[in-house]
Amino acid sequence: MEFEKDNSFFTGRMKSIGYAVKGAIKLITTEHSVMVQSSLAVLMIIAGFYFNISREEWMMQILAFGLVLGIESLNTAVEKVADFIHPEYHEKIGFIKDIAAGAVMFAAMAAIAVGLLIYVPKMM
């Protein structure tokens, strides 16, 4: 089966958006780490309204959880491709997966720092 490329700007972009939404829904409904991180993002949004955070704080918060969810999505893709290529444990595949998980950790640490900088002063 051969796929025909859609050269129309509008319909091509709409198809791309459709694929992206489908992927986001798959991530949120099947990946536990994304479920947890999405739930934390919702809690942070609620906290933002509760504490009436500033425009700049909203921007930093949105950027922080967008970064975490984006990196987690890439990590999940790396893991799925690695498992598809080499389903059994392999030291080199494990190394690659660990590096991708480390990237998520860096993003999460930055998001935690942003959250602390925004909310700790408001709770004092």
Side-chain angles (χ1 to χ4, degrees):
M1 182 168 143
E2 191 171 319
F3 292 99
E4 188 175 315
K5 184 175 179 181
D6 187 343
N7 290 320
S8 166
F9 179 79
F10 182 75
T11 57
R13 298 305 64 78
M14 293 308 293
K15 285 180 181 178
S16 294
I17 290 169
Y19 295 138
V21 169
K22 183 179 175 182
I25 291 169
K26 283 182 180 179
L27 277 165
I28 291 170
T29 58
T30 63
E31 297 298 318
H32 293 288
S33 57
V34 176
M35 289 177 200
V36 169
Q37 291 160 353
S38 297
S39 298
L40 289 172
V42 169
L43 288 174
M44 298 305 291
I45 291 168
I46 293 167
F49 284 115
Y50 179 79
F51 287 104
N52 195 28
I53 65 176
S54 71
R55 178 183 173 96
E56 292 78 15
E57 290 168 331
W58 273 113
M59 288 188 287
M60 294 307 296
Q61 178 171 287
I62 291 166
L63 185 61
F65 61 70
L67 176 69
V68 171
L69 288 169
I71 299 292
E72 181 63 57
S73 300
L74 291 172
N75 176 51
T76 299
V78 166
E79 287 182 354
K80 299 292 183 192
V81 168
D83 290 344
F84 179 76
I85 292 171
H86 207 294
E88 302 84 36
Y89 176 78
H90 189 279
E91 187 176 332
K92 289 183 181 181
I93 294 290
F95 181 78
I96 292 165
K97 291 167 82 172
D98 288 347
I99 290 171
V104 176
M105 187 189 75
F106 287 137
M109 288 175 15
I112 289 167
V114 168
L116 291 173
L117 287 168
I118 293 172
Y119 293 107
V120 168
K122 296 183 183 318
M123 290 188 256
M124 294 296 191

